[in-house]
């Protein structure tokens, strides 16, 4: 990244443009995979669906490359800002927002690349699951099905991202562990896609990685019950729990129990999503993309607001997270035993998601405009002087003339 900034990046290129180009790569890749895998399970050739078609492996190769490009550009924007002397709080906020959006994009693409069915295969195929490996998976059995595992695969990176922002809100520092999602996580995610390109997504549905170790350890009952995907998911869950516990205990120990107040919105989001998926295990089969975009919108809103409040030294208020209310309400009603017709719930979530992103588009544009106006800079231009800066220069010039 440093070499690219020093040798390839022109001095007139704004750091935020570099950030946006990186996100554009991920958005294009997400849309390509969405086209070929709208339900995220289409690459699973064991399903034997009448509508099954050959998902080209090249889409996973493209996404792996897009992830590495995103990682490189994400490292370049800060270096470009320091090189051009254009570092500002706006760059920090913009970079943080793009990273928040990309979190769910990457997770959804991982599900597709592993041929994971975000629900019960029996619900997809009927009573006969055709002996699909999912019904034998020990990890799926422990967590109550692949719907919960898929939800955790999406929520896991979100949780770590939010905790990192939450920690920065109190400490004033972004403290990355030795193994972190911003670099190592993206690299491993890209590697996962390259494996899917070379050996096919069904590699992750086989049991080749664990069977050898299970055979040596003598656990015959586990033979054929640990998918290669399960190994990845189990390692991710362990990493998530360890990092969440360490960071939470560090912040609470140094800044008090009152710090947990600012974690409530994210706890509500995670708990509500898990409750909805648990009580309606077919929802990720019926409306997978709606759920992805809903989680992405809610996560982006609360994470970027937490970062903005940290920058302007304001309190992060739970009562201002009104866009989270419908999700919490639906989860609470379902928990209390209220049943919703599938088509009504899907329609509500779709309208809710569209409305949320319209609100976010308006909010983001307003925040960017106000921050630019306060700082006297442009978001995507570091060459053209901002009118506020010109006015300040003219005022200084007039004042100098009067003093003389």
């Amino acid at each position: 990244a440093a070499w690219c900034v020093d040798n390839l990046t022109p001095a007139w290129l704004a750091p935020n443009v570099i950030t946006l180009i990186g996100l554009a790569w991920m958005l294009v890749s997400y849309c390509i995979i969405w086209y070929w895998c709208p339900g995220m399970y289409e690459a699973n050739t064991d399903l034997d669906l009448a509508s099954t078609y050959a998902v080209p492996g090249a889409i996973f190769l493209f996404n792996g490359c897009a992830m590495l490009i995103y990682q490189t550009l994400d490292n370049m924007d800060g270096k470009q800002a320091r090189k051009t002397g254009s570092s500002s709080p706006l760059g920090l906020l913009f970079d943080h927002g793009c990273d928040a959006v990309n979190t769910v994009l990457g997770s959804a693409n991982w599900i597709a690349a592993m041929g994971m069915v975000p629900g019960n295969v029996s619900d997809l195929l009927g009573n006969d699951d055709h002996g699909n490996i999912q019904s034998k998976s020990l990890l799926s059995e422990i967590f109550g099905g692949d719907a919960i595992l898929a939800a955790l695969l999406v929520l896991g990176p979100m949780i770590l991202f939010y905790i990192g922002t939450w920690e920065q809100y109190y400490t004033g520092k972004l403290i990355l562990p030795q193994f972190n999602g911003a670099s190592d996580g993206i690299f491993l995610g890209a590697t996962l896609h390259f494996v899917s390109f070379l050996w096919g997504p069904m590699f992750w549905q086989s049991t080749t990685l664990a069977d050898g170790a299970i055979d040596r350890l003598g656990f015959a009952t586990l033979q054929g019950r640990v998918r290669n995907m399960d190994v990845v998911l189990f390692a991710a869950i362990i990493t998530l729990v360890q990092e969440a516990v360490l960071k939470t205990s560090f912040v609470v120990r140094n800044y008090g129990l009152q710090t947990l107040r600012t974690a409530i919105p994210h706890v509500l989001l995670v708990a509500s999503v898990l409750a909805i998926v648990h009580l309606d295990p077919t929802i990720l089969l019926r409306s997978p993309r709606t759920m992805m975009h809903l989680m992405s919108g809610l996560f982006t809103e609360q994470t970027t607001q937490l970062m903005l409040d940290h920058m302007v030294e304001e309190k992060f208020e739970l009562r201002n997270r009104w866009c989270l209310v419908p999700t919490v309400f639906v989860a609470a009603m379902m928990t209390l035993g209220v049943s919703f017709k599938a088509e009504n719930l899907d329609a509500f979530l779709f309208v809710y998601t569209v409305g949320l992103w319209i609100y976010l588009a308006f909010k983001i544009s307003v925040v960017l405009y106000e921050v630019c106006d306060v700082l006297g800079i442009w978001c995507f231009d570091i060459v053209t002087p901002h009118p506020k800066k010109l006015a300040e220069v003219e005022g200084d010039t007039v004042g100098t003339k009067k003093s003389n």
Side-chain angles (χ1 to χ4, degrees):
W3 184 87
C4 290
V5 170
D6 293 337
N7 298 278
L8 301 177
T9 311
W12 51 262
L13 186 62
N16 289 340
V17 173
I18 297 176
T19 308
L20 193 61
I21 292 173
L23 181 62
W25 273 91
M26 291 303 301
L27 284 170
V28 169
S29 179
Y30 176 80
C31 289
I32 291 173
I33 293 181
W34 184 2
Y35 173 80
W36 285 101
C37 305
M40 299 190 292
Y41 56 77
E42 283 77 7
N44 190 321
T45 55
D46 276 357
L47 296 179
D48 194 27
L49 295 172
S51 60
T52 296
Y53 47 84
V55 175
I59 65 175
F60 304 120
L61 173 63
F62 181 83
N63 189 70
C65 294
M67 293 183 73
L68 294 180
I69 292 171
Y70 176 85
Q71 180 189 48
T72 302
L73 294 175
D74 193 43
N75 289 327
M76 285 174 58
D77 53 13
K79 294 176 174 60
Q80 175 72 353
R82 290 186 287 274
K83 169 186 171 181
T84 58
S86 57
S87 299
S88 70
L90 174 65
L92 175 63
L93 182 63
F94 190 81
D95 180 74
H96 205 74
C98 289
D99 287 342
V101 172
N102 182 57
T103 299
V104 177
L105 300 181
S107 298
N109 287 345
W110 294 341
I111 294 174
M114 293 190 293
M116 184 179 189
V117 180
N120 296 325
V121 172
S122 57
D123 291 328
L124 196 62
L125 302 180
N127 293 329
D128 183 9
D129 63 6
H130 299 277
N132 191 275
I133 184 62
Q134 184 194 79
S135 60
K136 305 172 186 176
S137 168
L138 177 63
L139 194 67
S140 182
E141 180 182 327
I142 291 173
F143 282 89
D146 276 7
I148 293 293
L149 288 178
L152 287 174
L153 186 57
V154 177
L155 293 170
M158 289 167 50
I159 293 171
L160 291 180
F161 193 103
Y162 188 88
I163 289 178
T165 307
W166 175 71
E167 181 183 42
Q168 187 176 5
Y169 178 82
Y170 288 102
T171 65
K173 302 176 183 177
L174 179 60
I175 305 173
L176 293 176
Q178 190 170 10
F179 177 88
N180 62 83
S183 55
D184 305 295
I186 291 180
F187 178 77
L188 290 178
T191 302
L192 183 152
H193 281 270
F194 292 143
V195 170
S196 294
F197 167 70
L198 293 172
W199 287 282
M202 293 311 296
F203 168 82
W204 301 106
Q205 298 298 318
S206 66
T207 60
T208 52
L209 292 179
D211 279 352
I214 290 172
D215 185 57
R216 292 188 184 91
L217 294 172
F219 298 121
T221 55
L222 296 181
Q223 197 75 24
R225 298 197 64 192
V226 181
R227 298 168 294 185
N228 295 342
M229 179 181 73
D230 293 339
V231 177
V232 174
L233 292 175
F234 183 72
I237 292 171
I238 294 298
T239 302
L240 167 65
V241 173
Q242 176 187 357
E243 193 63 26
V245 170
L246 289 176
K247 283 186 174 292
T248 303
S249 60
F250 170 78
V251 173
V252 171
R253 185 171 59 249
N254 288 278
Y255 298 92
L257 284 172
Q258 70 274 11
T259 56
L260 296 175
R261 175 186 59 82
T262 48
I264 292 176
H266 195 63
V267 172
L268 288 174
L269 171 59
V270 172
S272 297
V273 170
L274 289 177
I276 291 172
V277 172
H278 173 69
L279 296 169
D280 186 358
T282 64
I283 194 166
L284 290 179
L285 295 175
R286 303 192 316 266
S287 304
R289 298 298 174 171
T290 298
M291 287 295 293
M292 294 299 114
H293 302 157
L294 177 60
M295 286 187 279
S296 176
L298 293 173
F299 171 68
T300 300
E301 192 279 332
Q302 59 184 218
T303 307
T304 52
Q305 186 62 52
L306 181 62
M307 175 57 71
L308 180 61
D309 289 341
H310 160 66
M311 289 168 48
V312 299
E313 298 182 352
E314 290 187 357
K315 286 187 177 181
F316 180 69
E317 297 290 351
L318 173 61
R319 64 175 179 267
N320 293 332
R321 308 278 68 77
W322 61 266
C323 56
L324 183 61
V325 172
T327 302
V328 176
F329 175 78
V330 170
M333 291 297 100
M334 293 175 69
T335 303
L336 292 173
V338 178
S339 60
F340 299 98
K341 288 185 177 180
E343 57 271 23
N344 293 340
L345 180 59
D346 294 346
F348 170 76
L349 292 176
F350 177 77
V351 173
Y352 173 27
T353 302
V354 171
L356 171 65
W357 275 102
I358 291 174
Y359 162 73
L360 277 179
F362 175 76
K363 178 180 178 179
I364 290 169
S365 62
V366 170
V367 169
L368 289 179
Y369 174 82
E370 291 181 346
V371 173
C372 286
D373 185 62
V374 169
L375 298 177
I377 59 176
W378 299 111
C379 186
F380 302 113
D381 184 359
I382 59 174
V383 177
T384 306
H386 192 276
K388 187 174 182 179
K389 289 293 184 182
L390 290 175
E392 291 177 356
V393 171
E394 291 175 359
D396 292 341
T397 303
V398 172
T400 302
K401 290 181 178 179
K402 287 182 178 179
S403 63
N404 293 334

